[in-house]
């Protein structure tokens, strides 16, 4: 598929990993980046950072003016260094909910687009995970995976993650929040969560991380497993 007209694409390899919350995208994307020797960007972290910045300053993440100002104020050099996105506060469910709200605002998405494309364009290429990588950010990516799992399975994984971190969490509440976030991410008018037409859908409900990784490597290497 021909790549769209943004620069530097001929020498890099780009892998787009999209899908709903807690489907295993992050774990998979990190492993793929290490395996293929590529850079890695967790684009959800960008939206979490914007959402959390607004909440921390007492604002409403659903307010377009505050959210857009926070997105435009991000310094690309500071972001590229990776430390900003490593803040553990960004992993909490509150930051996830705030992220999902700012992510529904078109001007926030626009403000984050150049950084994501520039990151993807750097040698030797990158694995990006998010919701709209294969559809909007890198429509010409070399490989596109849409990683998903049932909402019950994703909520159970998220609950385990929270309990393992020593956080208090109730299964029913985690499931409810997961459904809420899914609905918001899928229903928004700008860059909604949908698989790209040329993405391979990988359902991880019955798979462990190693099996997901093996399938993904096979798909990317052009050896599509018979069971898909
Ligand atoms: O992947 P995550 O759970 O860290 O993402 C947090 C929120 O950010 C998610 O609910 C939707 C939004 N998001 C997005 O809209 N587009 C992306 N490329 C990545 C995340």
């Amino acid at each position: 598929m021909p790549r769209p007209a943004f620069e530097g694409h001929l020498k890099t390899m780009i892998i787009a990993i999209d899908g709903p919350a807690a489907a295993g995208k992050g774990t998979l994307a990190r492993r793929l980046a290490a395996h293929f020797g590529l850079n890695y960007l967790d684009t959800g972290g960008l939206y979490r950072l914007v959402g959390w910045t607004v909440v921390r300053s007492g604002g409403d993440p659903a307010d377009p003016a505050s959210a857009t100002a926070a997105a435009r104020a991000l310094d690309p050099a500071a972001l590229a260094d990776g430390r900003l996105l490593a803040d553990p506060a960004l992993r909490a469910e509150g930051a996830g909910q705030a992220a999902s709200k700012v992510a529904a605002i078109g001007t926030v998405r626009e403000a984050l687009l150049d950084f994501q494309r520039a990151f993807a364009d750097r040698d030797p290429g990158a694995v990006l995970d998010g919701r709209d990588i294969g559809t909007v950010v890198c429509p010409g990516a070399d490989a596109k995976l849409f990683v998903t799992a049932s909402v019950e399975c994703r909520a159970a994984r998220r609950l385990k993650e929270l309990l393992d971190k020593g956080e208090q969490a109730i299964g029913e509440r985690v499931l409810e929040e997961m459904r809420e976030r899914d609905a918001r991410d899928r229903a928004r008018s700008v860059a909604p969560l949908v698989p790209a037409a040329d993405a391979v859908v990988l359902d991880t409900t019955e798979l462990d991380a190693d099996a997901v990784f093996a399938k993904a490597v096979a798909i990317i290497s052009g050896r599509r497993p018979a069971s898909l």
Side-chain angles (χ1 to χ4, degrees):
M1 177 185 174
R3 287 178 148 174
F6 47 94
E7 297 196 345
H9 267 165
L10 289 177
K11 40 183 182 142
T12 59
M13 174 179 181
I14 297 173
I15 300 175
I17 312 281
D18 289 304
K25 300 186 302 289
T27 308
L28 173 64
R30 250 182 224 102
R31 285 182 74 172
L32 288 173
H35 181 80
F36 290 106
L38 301 170
N39 299 313
Y40 167 62
L41 181 64
D42 159 24
T43 66
L46 301 173
Y47 292 93
R48 285 172 182 266
L49 184 58
V50 173
W52 196 233
T53 302
V54 176
V55 169
R56 245 191 353 218
S57 64
D60 174 4
D63 170 48
S66 321
T68 306
R72 288 183 182 156
L74 288 181
D75 171 11
L79 277 178
D81 156 273
R83 266 176 296 180
L84 272 178
L85 298 181
D87 181 353
L90 298 183
R91 304 325 312 165
E93 187 51 31
Q97 290 288 348
S100 165
K101 290 178 185 165
V102 299
I105 300 166
T107 42
V108 168
R109 306 196 71 85
E110 264 165 42
L112 299 178
L113 196 53
D114 284 352
F115 173 77
Q116 296 174 81
R117 286 184 174 165
F119 187 98
D121 244 5
R122 284 199 335 234
D123 269 343
V127 181
L128 289 86
D129 81 60
R131 303 292 188 286
D132 62 340
I133 308 303
T135 50
V136 176
V137 178
C138 301
D142 301 280
K144 298 181 186 181
L145 296 178
F146 190 86
V147 180
T148 189
S150 72
V151 68
E152 291 79 10
C153 167
R154 291 185 286 115
R157 286 179 190 163
R158 180 52 55 84
L159 178 66
K160 180 173 181 311
E161 220 174 82
L162 292 170
L163 296 177
D164 285 351
K165 277 196 286 184
E167 289 184 29
Q168 302 228 315
I170 301 166
E172 277 171 26
R173 180 86 193 113
V174 173
L175 179 59
E176 196 183 302
E177 284 177 348
M178 191 71 68
R179 287 202 166 109
E180 225 177 85
R181 194 130 75 88
D182 277 2
R184 204 183 297 120
D185 292 349
R186 290 196 165 107
R188 68 183 180 217
S189 57
V190 277
L193 172 65
V194 284
D198 52 349
V200 177
V201 177
L202 190 49
D203 190 319
T204 70
T205 307
E206 306 290 342
L207 302 175
D208 66 17
D210 287 346
V212 175
F213 176 67
K215 284 201 177 200
V217 170
I219 293 163
I220 293 164
S221 309
R223 288 175 284 114
R224 209 171 147 148
S227 58
L228 276 174

